[in-house]
Amino acid sequence: MLPPYPPGLIDPKDDDAGPLLVVASQCIEGHTFVDPHSHGRGQLLGVWGGLMTLGTAAGKWLVPNVHAVWIPPGQLHWANTHGQVDGWSVYVRASACEGLPTQPTTLRLSALLREALRRLESLQETSADTMRDLLEQVVVQEVRSLPAEALNLPMPTSAPLVKIAQGLLKEPALEHSLDDWAALVNVSPRTLNRRFPVETGYSLGAWRQRARLLRALELLAEGYSVTATALELGYSNISAFIALFKRSFGVTPTQYLRGN
């Protein structure tokens, strides 16, 4: 299990104590879980290599190496790593979080932000440094300008729909029909068909497909082959899985593995 906050740097409860930004990196081997926790500061969470999953009560977000997830101050969250992960975090003083997203958000990283973070981390022990002050302002402004991208899976809010979502997350290969799920949670198919898009933004079928694709990224990062991943998710037609993956992410699973 990983510590939820870099030890010895600053107290996570002190939202305005210490420097404007605190940058921390950690290399993690294997599947690791970080217990639910929150920070007084905002957190930008990313990986130089590997894949991480961030979760809250509202859903989960994937963190591949070309993205980062913004976590606003006070947001309860947990994290999973998949395979070998070289992770990093930037903790932002709460008073500097104005104008940043108020909900967890996936952001596409820029080359400028990557290099500014690397430089900042090398200056971690330097105090009252002009270069550090400039870099901190660059990072905050750059985070405000980054485009948001949909690498999240929103969770429904009502108890019957939560039960369905949890069932699909636990067993993504399930092929229950709308009628099957409606009977299982004791609601009418019409109600289920209407409520799922209202609560998640997706129909039940689209949500199930999205859950499978995000799980595919996790399995691939953990070392599963493309074929094993497809079968684990319930796809008997491997070519259909590869085509769907490419339509969704712009690359085939094999190309994703090479790039990751």
Side-chain angles (χ1 to χ4, degrees), residues 69-210:
V69 173
W70 168 252
I71 309 164
Q75 173 69 62
L76 187 68
H77 61 282
W78 50 262
N80 272 322
T81 63
H82 307 277
Q84 181 174 328
V85 172
D86 185 7
W88 56 265
S89 285
V90 180
Y91 299 89
V92 184
R93 191 187 297 159
S95 58
C97 292
E98 184 177 352
L100 295 174
T102 57
Q103 299 294 328
T105 305
T106 301
L107 304 172
R108 176 171 284 274
L109 292 177
S110 65
L112 175 59
L113 181 59
R114 285 172 175 268
E115 294 309 312
L117 291 175
R118 291 187 184 279
R119 182 66 172 140
L120 256 180
E121 189 169 21
S122 72
L123 299 175
Q124 193 71 57
E125 301 302 323
T126 306
S127 59
D129 187 283
T130 302
M131 176 63 76
R132 178 188 175 84
D133 293 342
L134 288 172
L135 287 170
E136 287 180 336
Q137 293 301 323
V138 166
V139 168
V140 172
Q141 293 302 322
E142 189 69 0
V143 172
R144 285 179 179 149
S145 70
L146 291 176
E149 295 201 0
L151 278 177
N152 67 311
L153 184 68
M155 287 291 288
T157 53
S158 63
L161 273 59
V162 167
K163 184 176 180 179
I164 293 173
Q166 289 176 338
L168 286 169
L169 289 175
K170 185 178 180 180
E171 297 184 62
L174 285 174
E175 291 286 357
H176 291 349
S177 67
L178 182 71
D179 289 347
D180 293 335
W181 283 118
L184 182 65
V185 297
N186 198 30
V187 300
S188 72
R190 182 177 179 180
T191 297
L192 178 55
N193 197 42
R194 176 176 55 84
R195 289 302 306 171
F196 219 92
V198 170
E199 295 187 20
T200 68
Y202 297 94
S203 68
L204 176 57
W207 193 94
R208 176 174 57 187
Q209 184 180 89
R210 188 172 183 80

Side-chain angles (χ1 to χ4, degrees), residues 16-29:
D16 278 321
L20 175 64
L21 304 181
V22 175
V23 184
S25 294
Q26 188 173 9
C27 188
I28 308 133
E29 295 281 351

Side-chain angles (χ1 to χ4, degrees), residues 53-56 58-62 78 151-153 169 214 218:
T53 302
L54 175 89
T56 75
K60 76 174 186 176
W61 289 257
L62 288 190
W78 50 262
L151 278 177
N152 67 311
L153 184 68
L169 289 175
L214 296 187
E218 296 175 345

